[in-house]
Amino acid sequence: MSQSDFEEYSQKSIHFFSRRVPPLLVKALSLIQSNPTVVDVGCGDGHLVWSLSENSHIAVNSRVIGVDMSPIRVRRFSELTGYPGIVAEGHHIPGLADESVDLTISTMVLEHVPDELEYLAELARITRRGGWLYLSTVIRKSGAWYFRKAPDGRRVLDSTHLREYPSVDSVVKLLEASGFTVNDQCLTRLIFPIAHPVVRLLHAWRPIKEVQRIFLNPAYAWIEKLALPIPRYRSIELLATRRDI
C-alpha cells in the first residue's frame, strides 16, 4: 500500500473505541517504574491510550507518545488524548532514542507490517533492557472464515493484513528471536459487534463529523455488546520483557 493509499485508508477507515482495557496491559502498567515513558506504536486515532486514561491507568507523571505512519491518525491521537505523536513507520522511529521506553505497546500492528522481524527489532531498540512490551495480533486457526478478502483473494479479518498467524507459538518464537522474553499471554475469541457495519455504512454514505465521538458515548458501550463470534479467529495478547541482545 502506497503512502497516498494509506492516507486515503486512514481518512475513510474508522477506528472503533472501547472503554475496555486489556488486563495484560493494565498489568504491564502496574509493573513499570515511576515517571515512565510509554509509547504506542501504531497508535491510530488514540483509542487505546484514551481508554487507559479514562480508566485512570496512566499515571499523571507519565510521558506518553503515539507513533503512526499516518499524519491524519497522529493528529487525531493528539487531539483526543492530549499527548504528542510522531509520524513514522514502525520499523524506523528516528524520534525515539535507543532504550528510551519503559513500556512499548503494539496492538494489532504486527500483521500489517511488510517485514515483521525488522519491525520487532525496532521495538527492541527503543525498549530499555528490562522494560516491557505489550503486543497483540491475530491468530487464524484451521477453518477460520471472515467475509473480507485480501487483494490476492485470501479470506482475511482485514483486507490490509499481510499475514495472519497460525498459532500462539509462531508469535512467541518471533518475539524470542527479536530479543524479548514472553512472561504472560492471553488468548481470546474475536467477536463481530453488529453495530460496527451500521456505523461504517452511515459514515460512507454521509461522512459523520468527528465520528469517533460516537464511541465515547457510554450508551454505545451497551449497543456494542450485541456481537457474534468470528469463526476460528482469536486475538493473542503477549507481555514480554526486553532482555540483553
Side-chain angles (χ1 to χ4, degrees):
M1 185 182 289
S2 68
Q3 184 64 36
S4 60
D5 289 338
F6 186 78
E7 282 303 287
E8 183 179 358
Y9 170 79
S10 299
Q11 185 70 52
K12 295 179 179 179
S13 179
I14 300 170
H15 278 187
F16 288 85
F17 287 69
S18 173
R19 281 179 164 76
R20 177 189 173 276
V21 177
L24 276 189
L25 182 51
V26 175
K27 178 180 177 179
L29 286 163
S30 72
L31 294 171
I32 56 179
Q33 63 187 27
S34 59
N35 303 313
T37 295
V38 179
V39 173
D40 185 358
V41 182
C43 63
D45 296 338
H47 51 292
L48 183 59
V49 169
W50 172 83
S51 297
L52 291 170
S53 297
E54 280 290 291
N55 289 280
S56 303
H57 292 304
I58 296 180
V60 175
N61 59 355
S62 299
R63 178 182 179 228
V64 181
I65 302 168
V67 177
D68 202 284
M69 64 182 289
S70 165
I72 293 172
R73 298 277 195 212
V74 169
R75 186 187 72 245
R76 290 174 182 164
F77 171 88
S78 295
E79 289 174 350
L80 179 70
T81 67
Y83 293 115
I86 297 172
V87 178
E89 296 189 48
H91 67 274
H92 181 56
I93 313 171
L96 294 174
D98 294 358
E99 299 188 37
S100 61
V101 180
D102 298 293
L103 171 61
T104 301
I105 300 171
S106 171
T107 57
M108 298 299 173
V109 177
L110 192 62
E111 62 275 12
H112 293 273
V113 298
D115 187 326
E116 56 199 341
L117 289 176
E118 186 180 27
Y119 173 71
L120 290 173
E122 183 68 351
L123 299 190
R125 181 190 69 80
I126 65 174
T127 307
R128 67 172 176 82
R129 279 172 285 186
W132 294 91
L133 168 69
Y134 169 83
L135 182 142
S136 67
T137 189
V138 171
I139 299 296
R140 177 191 176 89
K141 303 184 79 174
S142 176
W145 185 89
Y146 202 57
F147 60 83
R148 293 198 180 103
K149 282 187 178 182
D152 61 6
R154 291 175 298 118
R155 292 283 179 182
V156 288
L157 196 65
D158 187 299
S159 58
T160 61
H161 284 185
L162 299 181
R163 69 192 67 82
E164 293 176 340
Y165 296 95
S167 66
V168 173
D169 189 53
S170 62
V171 182
V172 170
K173 286 180 177 178
L174 283 172
L175 292 183
E176 297 280 353
S178 301
F180 294 98
T181 299
V182 175
N183 301 98
D184 206 348
Q185 58 184 258
C186 179
L187 189 68
T188 56
R189 298 183 72 181
L190 281 172
I191 60 170
F192 176 74
I194 297 171
H196 284 191
V198 175
V199 175
R200 287 188 192 277
L201 286 170
L202 288 173
H203 185 63
W205 174 61
R206 181 173 294 178
I208 305 167
K209 187 177 181 181
E210 296 185 347
V211 64
Q212 289 79 11
R213 298 289 173 180
I214 292 174
F215 319 124
L216 310 190
N217 189 317
Y220 187 81
W222 289 98
I223 299 172
E224 198 174 34
K225 290 180 180 179
L226 297 171
L228 299 170
I230 301 174
R232 305 290 289 170
Y233 268 106
R234 300 292 186 269
S235 169
I236 179 64
E237 301 169 49
L238 299 155
L239 186 58
T241 50
R242 201 277 224 178
R243 63 178 188 272
D244 288 339
I245 50 176

